[in-house]
Every structure is written in C-alpha cells, then in structure tokens.
Amino acid sequence: MNDYSHLIREHVDLSDFNTMGVSAKARYFARVLSVEDLRKVLQFVHAEKIPVYVLGGGSNVLFIDDYEGLVLLNEIKGREIQNETEDHIQLKIGAGENWHDLVMHCVSNNWGGIENLSLIPGSVGAAPIQNIGAYGVELEEVFVSLEAIEITTGKRKVFTKEACQFGYRESVFKRELKGRFVITSIVLELQKHPKVNTSYRALSDALMEKGIAKPTIKEVSDTVIEIRQSKLPDPSKIGNTGSFFKNPVITGKAFEALQKKYPQIPHYPAGEEVKVPAAWLIDECGWKGKRIGDAGVHTMQALVIVNYGNAGGAEIWNLAQDIRKSVKEKFGVELAPEVNVVG
Ligand code: FAD
Ligand code: EPU
C-alpha cells in the first residue's frame, strides 16, 4: 500500500463541490488537510503523470466536462497571529479556511480592512487568485504574502504582494503561473484602529438610509451583507458563481463613441480607461430573467448566470457564449469570463 492511497478516491461526482451545481466527474479526487497530505497526493500525481485541478469552495469554477486528472480539495486550516504592533496585526491563515468566517473573526476582534469583503463565498486560498473585490475594496489592499507548493517540484515558495501581480480580478496565478501552484496559506495585515471605506456608492447610500453617519466596521459588514443578500442569489438555493463575466475596461475613445449612442450608459474611471458594468450591457440586450432549459440569467442581476436544477456545464457555457455574442454585436464590447472554466 502506498503512502497516499488512503487519500485518493476515484470517479467522484463534483456536484457538491461547485456552487454552480454542475455534475461533472473527477477521475481522481483527494481532500487534503495538511501540507503533508498535499505532498503525498503530489507523489501520486507524479507517479500517474496526470494533471491536478485545485478546488476550494468551487464558487468560481465551471466544469464543462468530466475531469480526467485529480481534483484536489484544499482544506488546510489554521489561523495565527504572525506579528502585532500598536496599529497593525498580521494574520497567517490556512488556504482551506472559509473566507467569510475569517471576515467575521476579524470584524468581531475589530481588526479592519476586509469588512467590505463580507459574504464572498469560497476559501481563503482562492482569494488571491482573482484578487477578490467588492464594495470599494480589493484583497491586495491588506495582502502581505502567500505560501504555495509548486505542483511539478513539490517545492515551497513565498510570493510577496508584488510577485502576485494583482489587478482587477487578476493575478499572476490566472496568467503565467496558471495551474502551477497550490496556495497553502496567506498573510494579511489588518488595522487595529480601523478606518472604514464607504467610497462605494451603493454602500454609502445604504448607510445613509439607515441614518449611520460614522459606521463601525461591524456596521459596514452588516450593510454589505444586506446589499449582497438583496441582489445576489444564494448558491445553497440556486446554482451560480457570482458575476460570470468581468466588467469590461475600455479605452476613453471607445467609451465616448458608446456614450454618444447610449447617453445613459453607467461607467466608472479605471486609470486612463473606463470600466463599464457588464450587467448593464447584458441587461440592455434583454437577457435578464431569460431561461433556456435549466440555464438562465438571474432575475435580479444580469451578470449572474444561474443553474435552475440540472443544467450541465456545457449548457451554461453555451448560454454564456450567446450572451457574449449579443453584447459584442450590439455594443462592440468583448466580455471576458471571470469564472474559471475547466474542460
Ligand atoms: P474555487 O472556485 O474553488 O477556485 C477558483 C480558482 O482558484 C480556480 O481556478 C482554482 O483552481 C483556484 N484555486 C482555488 N484554491 C486554490 C489554492 N489553494 N491554490 C491554488 N489555486 C486555487 N468574487 C469577488 O471577487 N467578489 C465578489 O463580490 C464575489 N461575489 C460572489 C458571489 C457569489 C454568490 C458567488 C457564488 C461567487 C462570488 N465571487 C465573488 C466569486 C468567488 O466567491 C471568489 O472568486 C472566491 O475567491 C472563490 O473561492 P473558492 O474557494 O470557491 O474558489
Ligand atoms: N446593472 C444593470 N442591470 C442589472 C444589474 C446591474 O443595469 O441587472 C447596472 C447598474 O447600473 C449598476 C451597475 O450595473 O449600478 C453595477 O451593478 P452592481 O453594483 O450589482 O455591481 P457589478 O458590477 O454587477 C461588481 C462585482 C461584484 C461585486 C459588486 C460590488 C465584477 C465582475 N463584479 O458587480 O463581484 O460584488 O461589484 O462591488 O466586478 C463577483 O466577482 O462574482 C462579484 C459578485
């Protein structure tokens, strides 16, 4: 018996491991609780010469087909204070911890910085992959470093913030280093005397409506949760992966041409360029609330594709392609998926 055989299962249905609720099968599947487990599973992968796909909460993946390699479910836990000063606290967190639980832990200790990122589904280890962001804050603002194991060599590597090359829903792990590392822990720096960030319009409006002029981080977190619950579908009730596409960032020139034709088009500055909400473009093409078989566009948020029950990954993907095509035809804008497509 090999050192790893107790960790490996075969022909595992992935429906419960992706929030879209797509029923693809993994040829091999392993749940790892520690770096030691991870190293053992990598021995198996090397012996069998098969590819690996790392999963956390499965809330940003779309399996279009069965996966012929090994799906590795990262459940490496742990939370420890790495460093503390008068003003800051540095936390090291295992990749398999739940992101929202971490946010709640920080809010209850009055450690500020990630309260705007309340209720984002998924694991801590996936947060750097797309530099998660919401309500005016992105992970990179509190990020210090991460530790990862290289899949081909088993070597441990530390990545600083700069090395992660964060951008809007982007990092080096979605580009040059895609599929090359398993993130095992991350380090964040939080404020012990928090300054809240209420720059996001929907958040400041909601706080104002509640008559809260000087919110605490708990009030910011509660309000973000309320806004999210009012428009995003709960994956435990209806399959989805949040925003299916990224918001396109276009040149000022391209935007001016669009604005001439559609004066009401919402937009936000993005450095030298302009960010346009994909939800608006999709909505204007008439997709909101549309349903084709069990695949559909959410009734409250046009950027969210939902699985009403038994839609397969390919069915969801076909709907996404149709949406993309109509946005391109009407506005000349390309939508890029935010979701990580497998297969
Ligand atoms: P998974 O879906 O399991 O994986 C995502 C990607 O990361 C995959 O490519 C996977 O291979 C890779 N990966 C995962 N863990 C590791 C690891 N340890 N090492 C290496 N690679 C890894 N995102 C936002 O940014 N902002 C939002 O506001 C937001 N809202 C959402 C709302 C809903 C209802 C849903 C369903 C999703 C939302 N998302 C949002 C997307 C999603 O929650 C995030 O992308 C989250 O970080 C995914 O975490 P996960 O553990 O589920 O990742
Ligand atoms: N809108 C429409 N129709 C809709 C929904 C929205 O026209 O059905 C327009 C409105 O003008 C609205 C604008 O689009 O003001 C933006 O909508 P919203 O505030 O809901 O935000 P979003 O751009 O759709 C982004 C992120 C979310 C994040 C929220 C809050 C991306 C791809 N998505 O959504 O992240 O939670 O802002 O910060 O950047 C995710 O990444 O999965 C995700 C949910």
Side-chain angles (χ1 to χ4, degrees):
M1 181 138 132
N2 291 312
D3 207 15
Y4 43 66
S5 45
H6 67 290
L7 292 166
I8 317 270
R9 289 161 58 198
E10 295 191 55
H11 306 291
V12 171
D13 187 283
L14 297 172
S15 320
D16 290 341
F17 300 106
N18 71 97
T19 63
M20 191 59 100
V22 158
S23 102
K25 277 209 164 56
R27 175 66 185 86
Y28 297 99
F29 182 90
R31 204 172 208 143
V32 299
L33 300 173
S34 63
V35 174
E36 292 68 44
D37 282 356
L38 170 59
R39 289 195 191 282
K40 287 177 191 163
V41 171
L42 291 183
Q43 278 174 29
F44 171 78
V45 162
H46 295 150
E48 296 293 316
K49 298 190 173 54
I50 49 172
V52 184
Y53 198 81
V54 187
L55 264 193
S59 63
N60 213 11
V61 285
L62 178 68
F63 288 99
I64 291 194
D65 219 334
D66 291 344
Y67 188 69
E68 291 306 328
L70 180 139
V71 168
L72 191 150
L73 188 67
N74 189 326
E75 294 197 335
I76 301 172
K77 300 279 198 279
R79 239 191 242 154
E80 62 183 77
I81 295 176
Q82 186 160 281
N83 198 358
E84 193 168 359
T85 64
E86 175 56 31
D87 296 325
H88 293 104
I89 187 147
Q90 285 195 350
L91 288 184
K92 180 175 178 179
I93 315 113
E97 291 283 343
N98 176 273
W99 174 261
H100 179 67
D101 289 350
L102 170 69
V103 175
M104 291 298 96
H105 175 68
C106 293
V107 168
S108 64
N109 281 288
N110 200 36
W111 298 332
I114 53 176
E115 56 280 0
N116 297 49
L117 305 178
S118 296
L119 213 63
I120 296 181
S123 62
V124 164
I129 301 287
Q130 71 162 13
N131 180 28
I132 55 169
Y135 297 94
V137 171
E138 286 184 322
L139 179 78
E140 66 177 303
E141 291 164 49
V142 293
F143 184 89
V144 177
S145 64
L146 64 79
E147 270 181 37
I149 303 285
E150 190 173 27
I151 290 174
T152 50
T153 61
K155 283 196 179 136
R156 173 183 163 275
K157 192 170 169 191
V158 174
F159 289 80
T160 60
K161 177 153 102 176
E162 289 66 35
C164 293
Q165 297 175 26
F166 290 126
Y168 163 61
R169 296 296 189 272
E170 273 297 341
S171 75
V172 72
F173 303 104
K174 282 187 92 172
R175 297 190 306 263
E176 295 88 324
L177 300 184
K178 188 172 171 175
R180 298 251 314 262
F181 284 88
V182 182
I183 295 170
T184 51
S185 65
I186 73 173
V187 177
L188 303 182
E189 182 170 280
L190 303 158
Q191 308 155 16
K192 287 167 70 180
H193 310 287
K195 283 187 214 73
V196 295
N197 176 343
T198 58
S199 59
Y200 199 88
R201 185 69 193 269
L203 176 59
S204 57
D205 284 356
L207 284 163
M208 204 146 52
E209 235 172 72
K210 294 206 259 179
I212 302 173
K214 285 197 174 149
T216 61
I217 61 170
K218 170 85 168 70
E219 286 166 330
V220 169
S221 167
D222 288 346
T223 309
V224 165
I225 290 172
E226 283 158 26
I227 302 172
R228 295 181 69 94
Q229 285 174 335
S230 74
K231 58 180 164 192
L232 288 170
D234 176 353
S236 70
K237 301 200 174 97
I238 181 161
N240 77 92
T241 52
S243 302
F244 196 92
F245 300 101
K246 295 195 233 179
N247 286 326
V249 176
I250 59 178
T251 62
K253 210 168 154 207
F255 175 71
E256 273 170 33
L258 265 182
Q259 201 181 27
K260 251 194 196 138
K261 224 167 153 193
Y262 305 98
Q264 74 284 24
I265 186 169
H267 57 282
Y268 317 99
E272 307 271 279
E273 305 190 295
V274 183
K275 194 188 272 183
V276 175
W280 186 85
L281 301 171
I282 297 168
D283 207 347
E284 285 289 303
C285 290
W287 283 104
K288 190 140 100 182
K290 280 250 170 82
R291 176 172 177 169
I292 301 173
D294 266 357
V297 176
H298 188 47
T299 49
M300 314 271 281
Q301 227 294 357
L303 192 46
V304 179
I305 296 186
V306 294
N307 183 355
Y308 283 106
N310 294 313
E315 221 175 319
I316 302 273
W317 188 236
N318 286 341
L319 172 62
Q321 294 315 311
D322 289 347
I323 294 172
R324 234 171 158 178
K325 209 165 143 230
S326 62
V327 167
K328 174 78 180 160
E329 275 168 15
K330 189 170 165 90
F331 297 105
V333 174
E334 291 279 1
L335 293 182
E338 175 189 295
V339 66
N340 300 280
V341 180
V342 193

